[in-house]
Amino acid sequence: MKNKKVIIIGGVAGGASAATRLRRMDEFAEIIMLERGEFISFANCGLPYYIGGVITSRDALLVQSVEGMRRDFNIDVRNFSEAINIDREKKVLTVKNLVNNEEYQETYDYLVISTGAFPVKPPIKGIDEAETLFTLRNIPDMDNIKAYINKFKPKRATVIGAGFIGIEMAENLHHLGIDVSIVEMANQVMAPVDFEIAQVLHQHMIDKKVNLVLSDGVKEFKNKGKEIVLTSGKSLDTDLIIFAIGVRPENFLAKEAGLKLGERGGIWVDDNLKTTDDSIYAIGDAIEVKDFITKSEAMIPLAGPANKQGRIVADNICGLNKEYDGSMGTSVAKVFDLIVGSTGNNEKILKHKNIDYSVIHIHPGSHAGYYPGASTISMKLLYNKETEQIYGAQAVGMEGVDKRIDVIATAIRAGMKVTELKDLELSYAPPFSSAKDPVNMLGFVADNIINGIVETVQYSEIDELIQEGAFVIDARDDIENTFATIPGTVNIPFPEIRNRINEIPKDKKIFVFCQTGIRAYNTTRILRQRGFEAYNLDGAFKTYQSVYHPDNCMPGEVDDLGKVVVEKSVEVEEKNIIYTPKLVVDASGLQCPGPIIKTFKSLESLNDGEVLEITSTDPGFKKDVKSWVEKTNNTLLDLNDNKNIFTAKILKGKISSRPTNPVTKPSQEDSTIVVFSEDMDKAIAAFIIAQGAASMGKKVSLFFTFWGLNILRKPKKVRVKKSFIEKMFGAMMPRGSKKLPISKMNMLGMGPKMIKSIMKKKNVDSLETMIKSAMDLGVKITACAMSMDIMGIKKEELIDGVEIAGVATYLGDTTTANHNLFI
Ligand SMILES: Cc1cc2nc3c(=O)[nH]c(=O)nc-3n(C[C@H](O)[C@H](O)[C@H](O)COP(=O)(O)OP(=O)(O)OC[C@H]3O[C@@H](n4cnc5c(N)ncnc54)[C@H](O)[C@@H]3O)c2cc1C
């Protein structure tokens, strides 16, 4: 029998896999592998890392050489050889030798097309003249970029397109110390994940000082690629451009040969990876695959599928009947210090295909919280509630992302139901996972939802529900609530829920959230068993926050939309001085604002001038701790970021007031008063005490919360944007010190009038005068941000000189107080 003759076009991922498998299956076949370029079987995926200097050996990228493949596999490898025409009838391939430009013909029994995909380069004005512009597909591209960087030492680089290659290039250029901008036309990076997951990446890249330009495209390249004009009209100066907006299947040969192409231009293949010609197979980035989940056609240019398809076609050419049952797009990428991974369909695709789906967001730890170095993984799972089919999953975090995505990818392929994720027995020891692995947790949540134990709403729905008058409980501690919350919600910390059950309306739907979902889950279980219609906010505040105010979990100004505007961080002070910490605390594994709460509590136990060293793995900590020390008048001495472990050294108090003997106790002579009541008599009492204490030289702090806030309202109506309910509420409450009732004998307003007249007769200052003179004496008057939010009181409505702050500020004041009154 005549030995079969197989020609493989393309000598890298798919082509080289097909060739070597073929040899293992058939020792006697004549195998020719054509490659247009110089190199075969190189590691495309490593190219960005060589440019960035992370991979230092160029040779390490050359997985197999032409000689090696000839020698070890007896394959006729012809590099610099381009297939330029297929004569299907005669089964003849025309090849061009790119060294001498000679053309010749080769007959074949079977042809395998593995020509890959090429970087898209649309005809943007100035693109051909842009000398700074590069695309990255192969070793020569990599060498060109590396040589350019070495020669011109660019200071600024712009990456256009924020897919895998773009982001990896951005990271590697940043690693070289180059200032990097990323321009992306979509509103997010990394299209395989959904927006809320991408937001975590956005924030991280901004933290890394990447200039991230989203929802903007390139209009024109000017000045030979030194200037990029964007569609928004903005422009960027740059020394280097990496153009990575996507790839297109290299389908020219197939198209000219009359082979069927798919809708997206990829070569059409059947389940055996055969084209419309029985003798021609096609694999890799050049083909259109079946989406494993939806069974529809898709372009999924990834190395794993290309390699596996190479093996399948080799088997089929050797008479086996192997099928490729589709790609799921399982992928992972390193984005600076984060890892992002996904498998299956995302929400955008499911929506686009009109597929009914449900969503779960969770934020588990990467491993047991008590073992050092744990960090949060934010995960999203998409599934069908009725059939329990898993559609896809996405995750972002600092460690353990890849293994969770791989487990779910395996579960999808095995056809497991979403609730079966809870039954998976996965390896566990504290440094690696938790006894309930994050994948199990997804299964538990799905099980609860499917069995009606829990009902959820999404982060994107909650604002509208609040506007419609929903009762939304923030089940976090009040200190967390003060840092930031969803406007229009009520703070009932989880431990208080049973005692405060009467505050919750029975005739309304109740929505509950906490930081990551667990306390809200416990709360809704209590409420549901007590007859309330209670829902959880899926993904909790962490997901909501990552979308609406991702920078920080600290309080700040509120913008027109009612979202928190994050304040600017302070710089680290006196970075180079070495202070010995009095207390070392490990807050690893705690999520925002856990590390900040721990910081606060730990500092409480220290004296002024003593130093706390606290370690956290929460990425937000880096920013939060800077804002927090500033707000609380402490001093950040050092903030060290060592491979995602953040260590802050904080000096209690201001550095200028650092006592020579750090063991000296603080004076403990100050005075703090919480003013909760709006009764005029109580307000007068508060201000009399405050003035008295201030005149004795004490520092006095009055913290106005809930009804007490009405004392601070301006007497005249101020025009501010309010919801209907806030307006109603505002109208029902007394506007300022002149309108206050008294606690006893109010007698429809007669009582206050009588008291005022008596005070006048007896020469006692009016409440308004008392407030003014207290301020003149330096009494600190603070309005509680959280109460203002709940009561719909805006800062413009308060009298001048009032500070707005959270409970943390007030608690900070109490540390030096020898009495603390509640009025
Ligand atoms: C920078 C970069 C990073 C990547 N990172 C990852 C990653 O981390 N993970 C991942 O899964 N995937 C990654 N990929 C994608 C992955 O490399 C591809 O999916 C995979 O290589 C596709 O294999 P292929 O055989 O279809 O095409 P390729 O590996 O691209 O091989 C095609 C070859 O065919 C040759 N060729 C084309 N036409 C002809 C012709 N007419 N005659 C002769 N030769 C021809 C080309 O020169 C090319 O060398 C990355 C790709 C790039 C460029």
Side-chain angles (χ1 to χ4, degrees):
M1 203 175 84
K2 179 179 162 282
N3 291 332
K4 54 177 104 51
K5 179 173 175 186
V6 184
I7 304 182
I8 297 164
I9 309 172
V12 189
S17 279
T20 47
R21 173 73 176 173
L22 203 51
R23 174 56 72 228
R24 288 185 205 104
M25 298 298 289
D26 187 343
E27 176 61 11
F28 306 105
E30 183 183 352
I31 307 171
I32 301 172
M33 190 172 86
L34 303 174
E35 170 52 53
R36 185 170 53 195
E38 178 181 357
F39 304 98
I40 58 155
S41 197
F42 61 86
N44 328 45
C45 313
L47 305 181
Y49 298 96
Y50 178 72
I51 293 170
V54 178
I55 296 173
T56 48
S57 161
R58 183 176 177 276
D59 286 350
L61 298 173
L62 306 173
V63 182
Q64 180 59 280
S65 65
V66 173
E67 297 71 35
M69 206 146 176
R70 280 185 191 142
R71 183 191 60 228
D72 297 346
F73 295 96
N74 187 25
I75 290 168
D76 182 357
V77 183
R78 302 182 194 172
N79 54 347
F80 297 118
S81 302
E82 183 172 15
I84 55 171
N85 183 262
I86 305 169
D87 185 337
R88 286 169 52 197
E89 240 167 66
K90 293 191 186 134
K91 287 189 156 188
V92 169
L93 186 71
T94 307
V95 183
K96 184 171 180 182
N97 180 329
L98 297 175
V99 178
N100 56 19
N101 279 334
E102 278 175 12
E103 290 179 14
Y104 61 93
Q105 296 191 320
E106 279 291 347
T107 58
Y108 61 83
D109 296 318
Y110 294 102
L111 202 59
V112 179
I113 302 177
S114 186
T115 45
F118 62 93
V120 178
K121 231 176 134 186
I124 298 170
K125 195 169 169 198
I127 197 165
D128 292 332
E129 294 76 38
E131 291 166 4
T132 59
L133 186 142
F134 297 86
T135 56
L136 179 62
R137 180 183 182 186
N138 50 33
I139 299 272
D141 293 343
M142 175 189 82
D143 288 340
N144 287 340
I145 297 171
K146 188 102 177 155
Y148 180 91
I149 291 172
N150 289 342
K151 185 167 174 195
F152 295 105
K153 313 245 173 312
K155 288 199 166 51
R156 300 155 303 184
T158 307
V159 174
I160 298 167
F164 288 97
I165 297 175
I167 295 287
E168 286 175 358
M169 276 308 301
E171 183 190 336
N172 279 285
L173 294 171
H174 179 271
H175 188 247
L176 291 175
I178 299 172
D179 287 342
V180 177
S181 295
I182 299 178
V183 177
E184 167 57 59
M185 204 137 82
N187 66 346
Q188 66 160 90
V189 303
M190 288 288 181
V193 297
D194 289 314
F195 183 72
E196 68 274 29
I197 298 288
Q199 276 284 82
V200 181
L201 302 175
H202 298 160
Q203 191 51 47
H204 182 60
M205 288 192 280
I206 292 166
D207 285 350
K208 292 283 176 188
K209 309 262 180 301
V210 170
N211 174 29
L212 189 59
V213 183
L214 298 173
S215 307
D216 210 345
V218 178
K219 193 170 151 203
E220 185 182 350
F221 295 103
K222 277 186 168 169
N223 195 11
K224 297 188 175 169
K226 284 275 186 183
E227 187 188 345
I228 306 169
V229 183
L230 304 179
T231 35
S232 61
K234 289 180 200 150
S235 76
L236 287 169
D237 290 333
T238 192
D239 306 318
L240 167 67
I241 299 168
I242 302 295
F243 200 78
I245 65 166
V247 294
R248 287 241 170 83
E250 182 127 9
N251 61 10
F252 313 109
L253 270 178
K255 198 174 171 185
E256 278 196 9
L259 296 173
K260 181 178 167 187
L261 302 181
E263 267 175 31
R264 292 175 173 75
I267 304 170
W268 179 92
V269 289
D270 66 10
D271 289 348
N272 297 113
L273 299 171
K274 199 182 274 182
T275 65
T276 35
D277 184 319
D278 274 351
S279 310
I280 305 178
Y281 291 85
I283 55 176
D285 291 0
I287 65 167
E288 251 177 51
V289 287
K290 225 176 17 196
D291 178 323
F292 183 81
I293 315 275
T294 61
K295 307 297 173 207
S296 55
E297 305 217 308
M299 298 293 309
I300 301 183
L302 288 171
N307 277 276
K308 288 172 196 104
Q309 291 157 9
R311 180 184 165 101
I312 289 173
V313 288
D315 286 356
N316 288 341
I317 288 169
C318 294
L320 300 176
N321 181 20
K322 294 282 176 69
E323 290 190 353
Y324 184 72
D325 54 3
S327 297
M328 300 196 301
T330 308
S331 61
V332 67
K334 181 173 173 301
V335 182
F336 294 81
D337 299 336
L338 288 177
I339 306 166
V340 62
S342 67
T343 185
N345 288 172
N346 60 32
E347 195 169 350
K348 288 169 286 192
I349 294 177
L350 294 170
K351 262 194 190 136
H352 180 70
K353 292 196 184 292
N354 275 326
I355 295 172
D356 198 24
Y357 63 89
S358 296
V359 185
I360 295 171
H361 294 89
I362 60 168
H363 307 280
S366 57
H367 62 249
Y370 55 83
Y371 186 86
S375 55
T376 303
I377 309 179
S378 290
M379 302 180 80
K380 176 173 183 177
L381 186 82
L382 296 138
Y383 67 101
N384 184 296
K385 241 195 223 171
E386 270 68 50
T387 63
E388 296 198 20
Q389 183 187 358
I390 307 169
Y391 289 140
Q394 303 156 34
V396 59
M398 286 184 173
E399 65 160 30
V401 166
D402 44 345
K403 87 167 165 180
R404 272 61 190 225
I405 288 298
D406 285 346
V407 170
I408 298 169
T410 311
I412 294 177
R413 195 152 277 269
M416 282 174 59
K417 290 184 170 179
V418 66
T419 49
E420 287 177 306
L421 294 179
K422 72 184 185 335
D423 305 324
L424 290 175
E425 190 180 315
L426 302 169
S427 59
Y428 159 63
F432 307 104
S433 183
S434 299
K436 292 174 192 157
D437 187 88
V439 175
N440 295 140
M441 296 300 294
L442 287 169
F444 293 137
V445 177
D447 188 59
N448 278 342
I449 293 173
I450 286 168
N451 290 305
I453 292 164
V454 166
E455 283 181 86
T456 58
V457 291
Q458 288 303 310
Y459 69 90
S460 50
E461 298 170 300
I462 198 76
D463 281 352
E464 206 178 318
L465 287 164
I466 291 170
Q467 269 167 24
E468 287 165 3
F471 193 85
V472 183
I473 299 173
D474 178 351
R476 300 172 304 159
D477 286 353
D478 51 2
I479 195 167
E480 297 172 80
N481 172 277
T482 316
F483 287 157
T485 190
I486 303 174
T489 61
V490 181
N491 182 212
I492 305 181
F494 165 61
E496 296 173 21
I497 191 73
R498 290 187 181 90
N499 292 337
R500 294 176 60 183
I501 208 97
N502 292 337
E503 295 174 30
I504 305 168
K506 272 234 154 155
D507 57 341
K508 279 187 165 189
K509 286 184 180 178
I510 313 297
F511 301 88
V512 188
F513 71 92
C514 61
Q515 188 64 24
T516 57
I518 296 171
R519 286 170 288 175
Y521 166 44
N522 289 331
T523 305
T524 48
R525 286 305 303 147
I526 291 171
L527 294 177
R528 284 168 83 95
Q529 291 179 70
R530 287 170 182 252
F532 291 89
E533 191 181 342
Y535 299 79
N536 267 358
L537 173 62
D538 179 53
F541 188 61
K542 199 165 170 60
T543 299
Y544 177 91
Q545 186 185 38
S546 75
V547 174
Y548 296 119
H549 39 99
D551 308 48
N552 202 314
C553 65
M554 300 293 291
E557 295 292 306
V558 173
D559 70 11
D560 294 347
L561 297 168
K563 309 291 183 207
V564 173
V565 178
V566 174
E567 293 170 18
K568 282 221 167 67
S569 311
V570 291
E571 286 308 313
V572 173
E573 293 177 40
E574 301 217 14
K575 195 164 171 23
N576 298 323
I577 303 176
I578 297 164
Y579 291 88
T580 314
K582 176 87 180 170
L583 181 64
V584 176
V585 173
D586 183 7
S588 301
L590 294 180
Q591 301 187 14
C592 171
I596 291 295
I597 293 173
K598 202 144 192 176
T599 305
F600 172 73
K601 287 187 177 155
S602 308
L603 268 189
E604 246 185 346
S605 67
L606 296 184
N607 296 315
D608 260 6
E610 290 178 342
V611 174
L612 165 73
E613 182 179 302
I614 184 155
T615 303
S616 166
T617 46
D618 173 28
F621 180 71
K622 201 173 158 190
K623 215 163 199 173
D624 291 350
V625 74
K626 288 183 191 170
S627 309
W628 189 84
V629 289
E630 188 192 29
K631 274 175 208 304
T632 52
N633 274 327
N634 293 298
T635 309
L636 186 59
L637 299 171
D638 187 23
L639 182 55
N640 182 21
D641 173 356
N642 181 15
K643 293 189 181 147
N644 311 327
I645 299 175
F646 309 102
T647 306
K649 271 191 188 169
I650 303 164
L651 177 112
K652 184 161 177 178
K654 276 289 167 201
I655 204 147
S656 49
S657 61
R658 185 173 184 249
T660 36
N661 174 6
V663 197
T664 313
K665 283 234 168 221
S667 68
Q668 297 284 342
E669 286 200 333
D670 300 339
S671 186
T672 51
I673 305 171
V674 177
V675 185
F676 175 83
S677 165
E678 64 179 11
D679 294 334
M680 187 178 82
D681 41 346
K682 291 181 182 168
I684 291 170
F687 277 96
I688 288 174
I689 298 168
Q691 287 186 82
S695 55
M696 285 165 71
K698 294 185 175 200
K699 267 198 332 201
V700 186
S701 170
L702 291 184
F703 187 74
F704 289 80
T705 182
F706 281 92
W707 310 115
L709 289 168
N710 289 323
I711 301 167
L712 303 179
R713 289 176 78 190
K714 285 178 184 160
K716 280 209 173 127
K717 193 173 176 180
V718 180
R719 281 196 158 273
V720 278
K721 216 171 151 188
K722 285 192 178 193
S723 67
F724 175 69
I725 296 204
E726 284 174 340
K727 277 186 200 153
M728 292 271 294
F729 213 42
M732 279 153 46
M733 294 188 298
R735 188 174 288 128
S737 55
K738 290 194 169 145
K739 297 274 165 55
L740 303 177
I742 51 174
S743 58
K744 290 206 169 119
M745 299 190 301
N746 192 44
M747 299 178 296
L748 297 170
M750 285 294 291
K753 280 190 186 141
M754 283 163 66
I755 282 209
K756 279 180 202 165
S757 117
I758 294 168
M759 283 168 71
K760 204 170 175 187
K761 267 194 197 147
K762 305 238 166 188
N763 248 342
V764 177
D765 282 344
S766 67
L767 179 54
E768 296 74 54
T769 313
M770 282 185 197
I771 295 173
K772 187 173 176 307
S773 45
M775 284 177 166
D776 291 345
L777 281 168
V779 171
K780 182 172 160 192
I781 298 186
T782 309
C784 169
M786 184 260 305
S787 310
M788 285 176 68
D789 191 18
I790 291 172
M791 307 194 51
I793 296 176
K794 311 292 173 196
K795 71 171 184 229
E796 295 84 346
E797 293 180 275
L798 299 183
I799 55 173
D800 295 339
V802 174
E803 280 181 34
I804 297 169
V807 72
T809 304
Y810 159 69
L811 292 174
D813 292 339
T814 62
T815 52
T816 52
N818 68 355
H819 74 248
N820 179 27
L821 304 176
F822 189 91
I823 293 179

